[in-house]
Structures are given as structure tokens and as C-alpha cells.
Amino acid sequence: MNSLAIRYAHIAEPDDGVWAKGSDVAAYLWVLNQGERSDRLVAASSPAADSTAIVDQQGKSLPGGVELPPHEARQMYRDGPHLLLRGIHEELRAGDYVKLTVRFSKSGSASMQVHVQRSGYETVGPSETG
């Protein structure tokens, strides 16, 4: 993967605590292009789902992938392009891991274990001392 670094890859746990078998599940990540040349995220796959697609914020497939300009971090979150695992094979909940492979036009492929994590954190006020 030469000059690309993948950071913050995760699947957000749904509000009810479990992704049901057969669900379409979003995966989020950052791709940092530390190189001098542009690259492109062109495909993704996971044995945990029927298929995996690169989609826009409305869930429409992006067949051309996602451009990764040099010296920039591309955030792939729900408000923009991200990955969508379609038809997951098993229930997923916080603490589980899913194998995910991403493919780039110039830098080849990279596989990783992606963590399913809670989507929010409770806010706790300062503790009282006495």
C-alpha cells in the first residue's frame, strides 16, 4: 500500500444494539494519501456480507470509486462516500469484528479486521467530591 494509510475503520452499532442478519451495514474509515500521486479506492469486499459497495451519502453506488488526492486524508463517513456491506451473514453487535478488504487503483489491496463499536458515548458530568 506504499503511501496510503487507513485509519479509524469501524462499523457503528445501531441504536437498538444489534445489526440483524441480512441487514445492509455501513463501514467508515479514513484513507490518508501520504504520497506524491493521486490514487483511487475502487472496490471493497467482505466475507461477512453478500456484497460490498462504495456508496455516496444516499447509498447510491459509486462505480468510479473515490479519488484520493496526494497529501490529503479522505474521510469516508455517513455524510459522504463510505462502504456498504449488503446482506450481512450474521448478527453484528458492539465488540464484534468483520474482515474487510479494500482495493486501490495504484496501491493494490489491504485487508483488515473492522471493529463494530458503539456509535455514541454517554456524557458524564464531573463527579462530586466530599
Side-chain angles (χ1 to χ4, degrees):
M1 266 204 358
N2 301 352
S3 62
L4 299 180
I6 297 171
R7 301 284 186 261
Y8 313 116
H10 70 282
I11 294 170
E13 179 188 54
D15 292 336
D16 65 4
V18 64
W19 287 109
K21 180 179 176 180
S23 296
D24 293 346
V25 177
Y28 307 116
L29 55 100
W30 287 20
V31 182
L32 173 61
N33 185 349
Q34 302 171 66
E36 299 298 323
R37 64 183 182 162
S38 185
D39 206 336
R40 180 173 288 278
L41 175 63
V42 294
S45 62
S46 175
D50 291 339
S51 65
T52 305
I54 303 168
V55 299
D56 66 13
Q57 60 269 31
Q58 285 84 31
K60 294 173 112 180
S61 290
L62 297 172
V66 175
E67 183 71 21
L68 304 169
H71 306 290
E72 289 188 25
R74 180 62 176 222
Q75 298 179 30
M76 298 186 64
Y77 279 172
R78 68 183 62 124
D79 294 338
H82 56 276
L83 303 178
L84 186 63
L85 284 69
R86 293 186 171 132
I88 60 170
H89 298 158
E90 302 292 330
E91 285 186 350
L92 292 177
R93 61 186 72 235
D96 290 342
Y97 285 87
V98 172
K99 183 177 180 181
L100 180 67
T101 300
V102 290
R103 188 167 49 88
F104 302 94
S105 62
K106 296 177 183 162
S107 298
S109 297
S111 293
M112 66 205 86
Q113 293 291 327
V114 177
H115 190 233
V116 180
Q117 63 187 36
R118 295 192 191 281
S119 58
Y121 300 95
E122 290 182 29
T123 303
V124 178
S127 62
E128 294 185 28
T129 57

